[in-house]
Amino acid sequence: MTDAKAAELIANAEFFAQLNEVTPRIGVAKALVALNVLVYGAMVVRGVSWISPTVGDLVTWGGNFGPRTLGGQPWRLLSAAFLHGGALHLAMNMFVLWSSGPVIERIFGRARFAAVYLFAAVFGGIASVALHPLNVSVGASGAVFGLYGAFGAFLLRERGSIPRAVLARLGRVAGSFVVYNIVFGLSLPMIDNAAHVGGLLGGAAAGAWLTRPLILPRPRSALRVWLVVVLSAAAVVVAGRKLPPPPDLQATIAKFGQAEAHGNDAYDALRARLERHALTEADVAAAIERDVLPPWRDARRALTAPRKWTSEQRALIERIDHYAAARERTWELLSRALQTQRPEDLAKMNAALDEAKRLAADVGKKD
């Protein structure tokens, strides 16, 4: 063994002995790994795919989705950091957290490490929902990027306090983590690089605030830690209230579906009463004009109200409205046929109904 190699090993041993002395007890990083794995396991046990969860599943479990997050559920900014888009996504994030987390935890201490992780997770979520509000983002990678941001802030504040070999090992893990997230993030829509950048910057800011030298006695200031925690909570509240919520396509379509079901139920009830001779055909025609058509037209206006849809979403809304217009024409022609009793009016109604059925089948087709 060369003298240089021996000196390097001694420096490494002294460094880790120093870390153990200034932070003798750790466990936050491993607890976070356990929590992420437990959440993933719970999802799989409840029937979510272990390889590729659907977007709907991730939203249900707390994914960061603009219409929900900014529509009264800002807690998703944090919950999304404990969800993952499959086993590979989870494994890579947890490998990095397990490998680098304990070293960074000993550098900062348990409470400060936890505060940095929280701050980075929240600001990664805010960056994601602010820049890509219609994406569903999940994953611990924003928070893990934040740990590296905090580590970088520590190096700037405490230059030369960490041996080169330790820096090289952490650098290799960090490098593979960054490359993985860039490549993997381009392949899965629920992995958002905006969250990575937001987490990195948030972690760097928190790390710069919470950095302390690797000497004893170490300065103890619970106030600094609590300030980071309070700022994290405040950021969640402010983002939830101040960022404009994007339109929720699912909710809009669901609301229209309710109007459709109401119209069908109302007509079925009218037809049943007509068959029992409880109403005349003129009564049914009047009821259609009074009770079926007005709410249907209101539903169409709500469906087509100007919103910031994507081009794909706008195309879907237009297809639904084409169907809705044909269905409205069907109601109008049925009302007329019931009043006039003319075969040609009934034929027009049947043709309109066939067109509505055709357009309904086209709704689910992509451009």
Side-chain angles (χ1 to χ4, degrees), residues 15-363:
F15 170 72
F16 283 106
Q18 182 184 19
L19 279 186
N20 291 337
E21 184 179 4
V22 296
T23 309
R25 294 186 301 276
I26 61 171
V28 175
K30 292 182 179 179
L32 288 169
V33 170
L35 182 56
N36 277 276
V37 172
L38 284 173
V39 171
Y40 172 77
M43 291 172 62
V44 172
V45 168
R46 295 298 297 273
V48 177
S49 171
W50 68 278
I51 298 176
S52 182
T54 67
V55 169
D57 286 335
L58 294 174
V59 171
T60 298
W61 279 81
N64 189 12
F65 179 45
R68 303 288 180 85
T69 303
L70 305 179
Q73 301 174 4
W75 48 266
R76 290 175 178 270
L77 293 170
L78 184 59
S79 64
F82 294 92
L83 302 175
H84 287 84
L88 181 60
H89 187 204
L90 173 75
M92 187 61 189
N93 283 341
M94 294 307 100
F95 168 75
V96 175
L97 183 55
W98 185 274
S99 300
S100 301
V103 176
I104 300 174
E105 184 177 349
R106 287 194 186 277
I107 289 172
F108 281 90
R110 290 178 297 176
R112 293 174 183 236
F113 176 88
V116 166
Y117 192 93
L118 172 66
F119 198 77
V122 167
F123 273 82
I126 291 174
S128 177
V129 79
L131 295 177
H132 305 121
L134 294 177
N135 288 353
V136 178
S137 64
V138 297
S141 50
V144 177
F145 266 95
L147 295 181
Y148 283 121
F151 182 65
F154 171 83
L155 292 178
L156 290 176
R157 293 279 300 271
E158 302 292 328
R159 295 179 180 86
S161 60
I162 298 181
R164 290 183 179 179
V166 176
L167 285 176
R169 182 174 71 83
L170 292 176
R172 286 192 296 271
V173 176
S176 62
F177 176 68
V178 171
V179 171
Y180 156 80
N181 275 285
I182 291 175
V183 173
F184 204 56
L186 294 175
S187 64
L188 290 180
M190 70 281 297
I191 302 175
D192 189 356
N193 283 321
H196 300 159
V197 176
L200 180 70
L201 296 177
W209 174 251
L210 296 175
T211 288
R212 55 186 182 178
L214 298 180
I215 57 174
L216 289 175
R218 300 183 79 178
R220 297 180 179 275
S221 176
L223 180 60
R224 283 178 175 257
V225 175
W226 280 111
L227 181 59
V228 172
V229 173
V230 170
L231 286 175
S232 300
V236 169
V237 174
V238 171
R241 292 183 177 180
K242 298 299 182 180
L243 290 177
D248 189 338
L249 180 65
Q250 293 178 340
T252 300
I253 294 176
K255 188 173 182 179
F256 178 78
Q258 292 171 359
E260 182 179 27
H262 172 77
N264 290 335
D265 292 344
Y267 174 68
D268 288 343
L270 291 171
R271 186 175 62 181
R273 295 182 68 187
L274 178 64
E275 292 173 352
R276 297 196 308 268
H277 304 290
L279 291 176
T280 66
E281 291 176 337
D283 292 334
V284 173
I288 290 174
E289 296 288 344
R290 183 184 65 248
D291 301 328
V292 177
L293 279 170
W296 184 261
R297 289 165 179 153
D298 290 342
R300 279 194 65 198
R301 282 192 289 270
L303 177 72
T304 57
R307 294 184 178 90
K308 294 182 179 180
W309 301 117
T310 65
S311 58
E312 184 176 350
Q313 291 173 329
R314 189 176 298 109
L316 176 59
I317 291 293
E318 288 175 356
R319 286 197 294 271
I320 296 174
D321 186 52
H322 290 160
Y323 154 73
R327 191 65 186 274
E328 182 177 327
R329 181 65 175 160
T330 301
W331 295 125
E332 293 170 345
L333 290 170
L334 175 60
S335 175
R336 181 188 301 173
L338 288 171
Q339 294 179 67
T340 65
Q341 297 294 308
R342 292 187 303 185
E344 56 269 30
D345 288 336
L346 184 60
K348 290 179 181 179
M349 187 278 294
N350 286 327
L353 181 60
D354 290 340
E355 176 69 3
K357 290 178 179 178
R358 184 189 67 79
L359 291 171
D362 289 342
V363 165

